[in-house]
Amino acid sequence: LGTNSPELCGTRDPRNVVADKIIAALDSAAMYLPADKTNGYSRINKWIALLFQSRVALYEGSWQKYHANGPFAVANAQPEKYFNKAVEAANAVMTSGLYDIYTTGKPNTDYVDLFGLRDYATNKEVMFWNKMRLDLGVHAARKLNYLAWPMGFGITRSLANAYLCQDGLTIAVSPLFKGYNTISEEAQNRDPRFFQTIFTPEMPWMITNGVTTNWSDVYNKLFTNNDFTAPTGYHRRKHYNPNTAYHHLNFEETPSIQFRYAEVLLNYAEARAELGTLTQEDINKSIKKLRDRVGMPNLVINNIPNDPNWEFPALSPLINEIRRERKIELALESFRFNDIARWAAADEVIVGKRPKGAKAAQFRIAPPYPVDANGFIDPLATALPAGWAFKVDRDYLYPIKESELVLNPNLGQNPGWGN
């Protein structure tokens, strides 16, 4: 193609045209890929293409619906078309009979154990994963070694607060909530995904030659140096395996999950809810499976308890609870910002807010960060006195690179980033 060809130097295609082409390409992929389950690491199959299609369609439907009245609005928007496609793709995977939620009947460990297994070839939930083999020179570098210490990373209180109590009520209304005095007390009577995602002091940190050291050793050393600093006080447990035989500086065979069936169920439930067609039967074959794994009560459409702290108070209780389920089930799997972007929700959960942490008084060594009026760690109080300065008329999209605009000025710049 010449440098002045229409293909290279034309204007951008409309967003929905691009989305339609991606979805059509995934239809073709699903048509030609094998329909058997496969081992999940050497070759993708039809069902992975359909899972990804449900993700793309849900994203585009949400974007078109929630950005309808702003600078990112799509001309001739048809969100229902994409929600229906998401339902269709997810339902095809669900009715294939090839996948299900991983469980061994141990609600206090099955969720975290899923992410610490050494092989997923026969796992009924993991649809695609990275297999590591030292003999082939395929390995991870320091995955578990890095996760063994906080090393400056911490989980926010926003996530910690999202977990329901075991009676199915939120912490704002449940009599089972034990308060914030310690992280261990916060975890009591909560959805078991809380303490399977966030370490509590009594959980194993290192298991070496049969000898177990608990996470209390880390909490007693928090804020002493870079390795032992979790700015919020909450440290990640999900994806960690305490067996030190698997830890290595450069040559771990620790596998990584890329696609899992839980996302299919969440995509299905959310798309149905957005269409206004979600039934209790739909809940029972999607959300209920995730809650059953951890022994939590089912979500009952006609009996959703009020939460005075819903993240999205302008939306229905059902949409809020579907989004809560997604937030906690897919925590730390790189979905959250994309979800906020497609929901046009930064004004509710980002703008003017700061990530808070746990109660500062519980730690043996005082955190070297500001503490708010309620005693919670506020690590960015000095750096962000007014909270995050996310610009809702600009920051949902990155700018087009200047080098690309020089090559083709007809591309135009994304909203809010200038010409």
Side-chain angles (χ1 to χ4, degrees), residues 301-411:
I301 291 178
N302 294 326
N303 188 27
I304 298 177
N306 180 62
D307 181 2
N309 299 316
W310 270 321
E311 284 190 311
F312 313 101
L315 301 180
S316 70
L318 182 59
I319 292 292
N320 271 278
E321 291 307 315
I322 294 293
R323 290 184 179 186
R324 181 200 304 274
E325 199 70 27
R326 186 176 183 90
K327 179 178 182 177
I328 62 178
E329 176 65 30
L330 299 180
L332 306 174
E333 295 182 53
S334 300
F335 285 94
R336 182 62 175 170
F337 179 75
N338 284 335
D339 287 342
I340 291 170
R342 65 186 175 88
W343 296 331
D347 56 328
E348 294 164 300
V349 299
I350 296 179
V351 176
K353 292 181 170 57
R354 290 193 301 272
K356 298 289 185 75
K359 269 289 181 72
Q362 69 185 289
F363 299 104
R364 187 175 64 87
I365 298 169
Y369 306 107
V371 174
D372 72 12
N374 296 312
F376 296 105
I377 303 173
D378 192 356
L380 296 180
T382 302
L384 297 172
W388 295 117
F390 187 102
K391 295 184 178 181
V392 296
D393 59 350
R394 187 191 72 177
D395 294 342
Y396 285 116
L397 293 178
Y398 294 119
I400 302 296
K401 291 182 179 179
E402 183 179 2
S403 58
E404 295 298 327
L405 293 175
V406 169
L407 290 171
N408 180 10
N410 293 323
L411 280 176

Side-chain angles (χ1 to χ4, degrees), residues 225-294:
N225 59 47
N226 289 339
D227 284 349
F228 292 101
T229 295
T232 62
Y234 298 113
H235 183 57
R236 169 185 186 156
R237 183 184 181 194
K238 186 175 176 179
H239 294 107
Y240 182 69
N241 188 323
N243 190 333
T244 58
Y246 305 143
H247 297 212
H248 196 280
L249 290 178
N250 296 303
F251 303 108
E252 287 188 19
E253 287 188 305
T254 304
S256 296
I257 299 171
Q258 300 300 325
F259 294 97
R260 64 185 181 102
Y261 184 62
E263 185 195 347
V264 174
L265 302 182
L266 290 163
N267 291 351
Y268 175 84
E270 184 179 344
R272 282 279 199 205
E274 290 289 359
L275 287 166
T277 61
L278 186 70
T279 66
Q280 190 61 47
E281 181 181 357
D282 292 326
I283 289 288
N284 293 346
K285 63 184 183 183
S286 56
I287 301 300
K288 185 175 186 295
K289 284 181 170 288
L290 303 176
R291 293 194 175 189
D292 282 350
R293 167 166 42 204
V294 292

Side-chain angles (χ1 to χ4, degrees), residues 165-241:
C165 291
Q166 290 181 350
D167 55 7
L169 302 178
T170 69
I171 61 173
V173 299
S174 175
L176 297 181
F177 181 52
K178 295 295 184 180
Y180 295 104
N181 286 333
T182 69
I183 294 174
S184 292
E185 288 183 9
E186 279 192 69
Q188 286 184 39
N189 304 327
R190 302 289 292 280
D191 182 327
R193 284 173 290 188
F194 181 108
F195 57 79
Q196 294 178 73
T197 302
I198 302 170
F199 266 115
T200 54
E202 62 274 8
M203 294 301 171
W205 172 38
M206 299 281 193
I207 301 174
T208 305
N209 298 323
V211 178
T212 298
T213 304
N214 287 338
W215 203 256
S216 55
D217 278 27
V218 177
Y219 277 121
N220 286 334
K221 297 173 184 175
L222 275 185
F223 314 117
T224 56
N225 59 47
N226 289 339
D227 284 349
F228 292 101
T229 295
T232 62
Y234 298 113
H235 183 57
R236 169 185 186 156
R237 183 184 181 194
K238 186 175 176 179
H239 294 107
Y240 182 69
N241 188 323

Side-chain angles (χ1 to χ4, degrees), residues 51 90-102 114 123-128 257 259-267 285-286 289-290 293 329-330:
L51 180 158
N91 190 58
V93 181
M94 292 163 67
T95 57
S96 72
L98 296 175
Y99 301 99
D100 204 348
I101 294 301
Y102 167 82
L114 171 66
N123 190 282
K124 57 187 177 181
E125 180 170 351
V126 176
M127 298 176 66
F128 197 67
I257 299 171
F259 294 97
R260 64 185 181 102
Y261 184 62
E263 185 195 347
V264 174
L265 302 182
L266 290 163
N267 291 351
K285 63 184 183 183
S286 56
K289 284 181 170 288
L290 303 176
R293 167 166 42 204
E329 176 65 30
L330 299 180

Side-chain angles (χ1 to χ4, degrees), residues 108-120:
N108 288 336
T109 57
D110 278 343
Y111 179 74
V112 69
D113 285 351
L114 171 66
F115 301 96
L117 298 176
R118 305 298 294 169
D119 190 282
Y120 296 102

